[in-house]
Amino acid sequence: MAGGALEAYVTNVQNMSASGSLRELTDISRRAVDDVLANNIQHLDHALATLSLGEHSIGILAMLTAKMKQAISQNQLEPVEAVVAQVREFVSGCNGEHIRAIPDMYCDLFHKIADYYLLKKNEPDRGITLLANAIDRLATSKSQLTSLHAALCCLCLKARNLQAALPFLDADMTDILKELNHGPQHFDTKHFLCYYYYGGMIYAALKQFDQALFFFEIAVTTPAVAVSAIMTEAYKKYELVSLIVHGEARPLPTYKSSVVQRFIKQSCNEYNRIVSVYTGATPVVDKATALREHLEDARQIFDQDGNVGLVKQVIQSLHKRNIQRLTKTFLTLSLTDVANRCRLNGGATEAEQYIVQMIESGEISAVIDQENGMVHFKDSSALVDSATVDAQMQRVMALEKVVRRLDTDAQLNPQYVSKMAKGSSGLYSTGPVLHDDEGVSIQNFIPGFHVSDMMSLS
Amino acid sequence: MQEQQVTSPSAPPADPTRPADPPQPQQAQASAEEHQQGGQRQEASQAHMVSEAMQADQQTPRQPTPAVSVTVTSSTIPVRVAQLESAELDGVCSTEMYAQLLACYLAMSSWKQAQLLHWRLPASPRKSDEVKAVWAVGKPLIQRKLSQAYRAYHATAFTEALRPYMEVVVQQSRIAAFDLAARAYCKIKVENLAQLVDLDGEDLKAAIHQRGWTVASNFVAPLMADDQKDKHPSNDGILEVTTLVDYASFLEN
């Protein structure tokens, strides 16, 4: 009987949670969502009342997942809202160890909630706090990436409330939670790409272009066997942001995939044109005018890609870059000369406005003499203060510790060790040669130890 | 049977700042026996009544965060911003609170946040008089058209709740404008300075004199304040040398 099956499931949840048999419990919970729990939706609230949030999180999660599936299938808002309220309570008190044993179901539930707020209810801001709390519960540290990070960034972008995403973007990701368990445990690349693509967009919207460029670069240089739409869109933004930050389209790192090298530029012709005009590869009389004309000609494409604002910022950065170039050549210049050399239609007044803006933002160091209509450029070393140097050095030192730890982990990785061992065998091996080590190799250090043992441990 | 768990060597150390898991029961086995014996009485007292709590939560919706009547200064504004941002994410932000949040962003010179907030405002708060009044000052402020911003400020009668925040906005703008004038100009026309800082006549003269600036032939010669030259001047030479030695040895290693 169905009621009996539900009771049996609840009993299993209670017993297995108490005994710590989480793997078994997760297996039966995954089966139960579409079976026992789906057939007993009307009794689930009563069953939930008999379970403890901190001790039986897996069972509660399975029940909430079943309820959410059924509520979504009804295509009405109230049932879903009721389940979401229950999920809010669940997140506030669930057991982190339990939900990390069944991350696929946990993430699937919150992806459904994110889709509900994004597509059905059209209130993405209402899902932000819930997703943020869900990530805090799931991830073992701030530097662990989950699929929910991308969903949160998407909600923040749609809600235009970018502040909430910053704590999850500013952390350096050094670990990925392998959520999916069909086959060997793995992580869907789509969420990885989306996280860095959305993160780049958020930073670009906040005008933190250095970080935006880094995020887009990661998205584009992710190992791939085919160029995805996400990578293509990230590359378009990468080119524009690179112009803003560096004044040129920096080439992608050498570790990018060969498919990216061959195919990605072909789908970005309008952007390649912007790069060639900006950098002077295409000779034009007035770069800013040429770029504005190109923007109008290809407006539809830029609109479709959502890059009109970025292109306008590229044009604005052109004037600023011209002024910055002047600081390298001149010590003193009249404002009228600045306007002429930078082709500013507004004359000395517009030049003064640009220079004051750039002084305020710290892009140049200069003083204006309104009495004589002159601008004196100062040494750029005056822009740096000791507090900034201290902060940057502390950041570099912290980053060095992280890199050192990752390097140690990589050297201990069984796959790496076996590859190195294979590489050292054979006459013409190109890998590092394991010299006669006078008895300090792993096999000799731990008697009876073999590399295959390390692989079986993993 | 206890689960055997193998910790991967690449697993990052647990972050002490993560939210802690709920405490495990002291006597798990005793609890399991009680379940088997049908000890619902103790289970009911220990269990979190999940669905009942959730139903109670639905029946009593969260109230909006009340406006806190405290003196508004540049140091209290970040605290207020955190409260208002949290209220916004919870969906309990009133029109007055939206206007306060917008004013707070302007007071902190967070232009991008102010723009994004104005962009995402629901239709009703965006059309309200309070928000329109704040944005009439904020928009030219963001565009660095300071004289227009000051004119809008003087032409508007703000509500009791908003007035303290807008006063801080103008105060901070004035301070920032003086700092910018000191950094960007070696000589600036008196009229232009007056437009930048929204002062004229005796008030402007007093402010110029207070900063030790000189006036000659209708031009003001600003001086950069001492605390602007190095924001964190080091008072301890030995500490600075030690720090530099640490940096040098790190970079060389």
Side-chain angles (χ1 to χ4, degrees):
Chain A
M1 287 172 60
L6 180 61
E7 275 182 27
Y9 174 73
V10 170
T11 306
N12 278 333
V13 167
Q14 291 166 341
N15 292 342
M16 289 182 185
S17 299
S19 63
S21 308
L22 297 184
R23 192 168 285 184
E24 219 175 306
L25 179 56
T26 56
D27 287 340
I28 66 168
S29 294
R30 286 193 187 98
R31 286 194 296 272
V33 166
D34 293 318
D35 182 12
V36 170
L37 301 178
N39 296 335
N40 290 281
I41 290 288
Q42 63 274 23
H43 302 299
L44 286 186
D45 281 335
H46 179 72
L48 282 168
T50 63
L51 295 177
S52 165
L53 195 51
E55 297 165 31
H56 310 128
S57 298
I58 295 178
I60 295 175
L61 174 63
M63 291 182 190
L64 291 175
T65 303
K67 289 191 72 174
M68 178 60 81
K69 280 188 172 181
Q70 199 260 352
I72 287 176
S73 68
Q74 288 181 1
N75 217 15
Q76 289 173 5
L77 295 182
E78 288 95 16
V80 181
E81 281 294 328
V83 181
V84 169
Q86 291 178 317
V87 172
R88 283 186 200 276
E89 284 294 326
F90 169 72
V91 164
S92 65
C94 65
N95 187 319
E97 186 192 345
H98 285 198
I99 59 171
R100 280 190 282 278
I102 190 165
D104 52 324
M105 188 182 291
Y106 183 85
C107 291
D108 187 56
L109 174 64
F110 285 97
H111 280 301
K112 285 186 168 55
I113 292 176
D115 289 343
Y116 163 70
Y117 278 121
L118 269 174
L119 303 171
K120 285 265 168 36
K121 209 166 179 215
N122 201 20
E123 290 180 1
D125 53 322
R126 301 284 286 120
I128 291 174
T129 308
L130 182 56
L131 264 285
N133 292 339
I135 292 172
D136 283 339
R137 274 289 164 202
L138 178 64
T140 53
S141 70
K142 287 197 193 310
S143 58
Q144 187 178 57
L145 180 66
T146 70
S147 62
L148 298 182
H149 283 75
L152 174 65
C153 291
C154 185
L155 285 175
C156 289
L157 276 170
K158 289 296 281 186
R160 294 168 187 167
N161 190 338
L162 308 182
Q163 196 69 19
L166 286 180
F168 299 94
L169 294 175
D170 291 340
D172 294 317
M173 294 298 166
T174 56
D175 185 30
I176 297 177
L177 179 68
K178 297 189 180 70
E179 300 164 4
L180 302 176
N181 70 336
H182 46 270
Q185 278 198 305
H186 61 284
F187 184 80
D188 192 341
T189 321
K190 183 183 83 170
H191 299 304
F192 180 90
L193 291 174
C194 282
Y195 168 74
Y196 283 101
Y197 176 61
Y198 293 146
M201 287 173 69
I202 287 171
Y203 277 131
L206 294 173
K207 295 197 190 298
Q208 296 177 28
F209 291 116
D210 285 321
Q211 289 96 320
L213 189 66
F214 177 61
F215 269 56
F216 290 135
E217 181 184 301
I218 293 181
V220 177
T221 55
T222 302
V225 294
V227 178
S228 63
I230 304 172
M231 281 175 136
T232 307
E233 296 307 311
Y235 182 72
K236 291 173 183 173
K237 290 179 168 57
Y238 172 84
E239 284 202 307
L240 295 176
V241 173
S242 182
L243 291 177
I244 294 172
V245 174
H246 298 297
E248 58 180 356
R250 286 273 170 102
L252 290 171
T254 50
Y255 49 79
K256 63 185 176 299
S257 304
S258 55
V259 285
V260 169
Q261 171 77 20
R262 286 201 298 270
F263 297 116
I264 206 164
K265 280 203 170 192
Q266 297 170 8
S267 41
C268 306
N269 289 327
E270 306 304 333
Y271 298 85
N272 298 334
R273 166 92 181 144
I274 289 181
V275 169
S276 66
V277 169
Y278 193 103
T279 55
T282 303
V284 292
V285 174
D286 182 2
K287 288 181 185 176
T289 306
L291 286 174
R292 279 191 211 101
E293 286 169 1
H294 180 59
L295 171 61
E296 289 313 312
D297 291 341
R299 182 94 187 196
Q300 194 181 357
I301 293 175
F302 293 128
D303 242 336
Q304 204 174 338
D305 294 341
N307 289 332
V308 171
L310 261 183
V311 174
K312 287 182 178 173
Q313 290 189 66
V314 167
I315 297 172
Q316 204 178 28
S317 78
L318 189 63
H319 294 305
K320 291 187 178 178
R321 200 156 294 283
N322 289 338
I323 293 174
Q324 274 177 330
R325 209 173 288 129
L326 292 176
T327 67
K328 293 183 174 35
T329 314
F330 298 95
L331 282 177
T332 304
L333 204 57
S334 70
L335 290 169
T336 313
D337 272 341
V338 171
N340 290 338
R341 287 173 187 274
C342 299
R343 298 180 188 275
L344 297 173
N345 299 330
T349 311
E350 191 179 355
E352 185 178 338
Q353 281 171 3
Y354 264 109
I355 291 173
V356 169
Q357 269 180 32
M358 292 173 74
I359 293 170
E360 191 176 13
S361 60
E363 290 168 274
I364 59 170
S365 181
V367 286
I368 298 172
D369 182 349
Q370 276 197 339
E371 188 175 16
N372 300 318
M374 303 292 285
V375 55
H376 307 279
F377 298 117
K378 293 198 286 191
D379 187 7
S380 60
S381 61
L383 294 170
V384 180
D385 65 310
S386 52
T388 310
V389 172
D390 278 341
Q392 293 292 341
M393 281 305 301
Q394 292 300 327
R395 170 131 174 85
V396 166
M397 289 162 85
L399 211 55
E400 190 264 348
K401 281 187 190 148
V402 172
V403 170
R404 204 179 278 275
R405 177 176 63 79
L406 291 174
D407 186 55
T408 307
D409 290 344
Q411 288 187 29
L412 292 175
N413 187 291
Q415 289 170 336
Y416 175 82
V417 171
S418 73
K419 272 202 169 174
M420 289 296 108
K422 282 180 195 166
S424 68
S425 64
L427 192 60
Y428 300 108
S429 66
T430 56
V433 177
L434 296 176
H435 293 286
D436 183 8
D437 54 12
E438 299 176 0
V440 295
S441 69
I442 293 174
Q443 284 89 340
N444 293 332
F445 187 72
I446 304 175
F449 179 84
H450 298 283
V451 169
S452 56
D453 292 340
M454 287 180 70
M455 295 185 72
S456 66
L457 279 177
S458 70
Chain B
M1 186 190 304
Q2 291 293 325
E3 281 287 306
Q4 296 292 333
Q5 291 189 350
V6 177
T7 307
S8 159
S10 62
D15 188 341
T17 64
R18 310 300 298 160
D21 291 337
Q24 293 294 333
Q26 295 285 332
Q27 299 169 351
Q29 284 190 346
S31 172
E33 288 171 4
E34 283 166 0
H35 292 324
Q36 289 174 359
Q37 291 170 6
Q40 295 185 0
R41 176 174 48 83
Q42 187 160 356
E43 186 61 29
S45 67
Q46 287 180 356
H48 296 275
M49 304 300 281
V50 175
S51 62
E52 287 183 6
M54 294 171 191
Q55 287 171 9
D57 183 60
Q58 289 175 33
Q59 289 165 4
T60 55
R62 291 185 60 178
Q63 299 301 317
T65 306
V68 179
S69 59
V70 295
T71 306
V72 177
T73 63
S74 56
S75 55
T76 62
I77 279 182
V79 175
R80 186 63 181 146
V81 165
Q83 290 174 348
L84 293 169
E85 284 176 345
S86 177
E88 187 193 6
L89 286 175
D90 291 336
V92 293
C93 221
S94 63
T95 300
E96 181 185 294
M97 292 163 77
Y98 275 123
Q100 282 184 7
L101 183 56
L102 187 59
C104 287
Y105 283 145
L106 295 173
M108 291 164 62
S109 303
S110 301
W111 310 132
K112 206 60 207 172
Q113 299 294 352
Q115 280 178 309
L116 286 167
L117 174 62
H118 189 258
W119 197 13
R120 69 176 182 262
L121 279 176
S124 168
R126 188 201 288 241
K127 290 178 189 165
S128 68
D129 292 335
E130 291 133 313
V131 170
K132 278 187 181 173
V134 175
W135 192 239
V137 176
K139 187 177 172 186
L141 209 57
I142 294 170
Q143 294 170 341
R144 311 315 283 150
K145 295 174 183 171
L146 298 183
S147 52
Q148 189 178 335
Y150 296 135
R151 274 199 302 276
Y153 169 73
H154 291 301
T156 309
F158 293 99
T159 60
E160 285 293 327
L162 273 180
R163 196 176 306 123
Y165 292 93
M166 295 309 294
E167 284 171 3
V168 175
V169 170
V170 169
Q171 187 186 33
Q172 292 299 112
S173 297
R174 193 171 287 138
I175 293 172
F178 269 116
D179 290 343
L180 180 60
R183 280 165 51 199
Y185 293 94
C186 60
K187 282 191 187 165
I188 179 172
K189 266 189 194 168
V190 173
E191 300 87 61
N192 290 351
L193 181 64
Q195 283 181 356
L196 270 183
V197 300
D198 190 35
L199 292 174
D200 54 11
E202 293 303 317
D203 293 333
L204 183 62
K205 278 185 190 168
I208 290 170
H209 179 73
Q210 188 187 5
R211 283 168 173 75
W213 296 0
T214 54
V215 182
S217 315
N218 203 35
F219 284 93
V220 178
L223 288 174
M224 198 180 291
D226 289 337
D227 58 357
Q228 279 187 312
K229 288 175 187 168
D230 187 350
K231 286 178 188 166
H232 296 272
S234 170
N235 294 324
D236 189 342
I238 295 176
L239 183 60
E240 191 171 352
V241 169
T242 310
T243 307
L244 288 172
V245 166
D246 288 341
Y247 290 162
S249 65
F250 167 77
L251 290 170
E252 284 175 6
N253 187 2

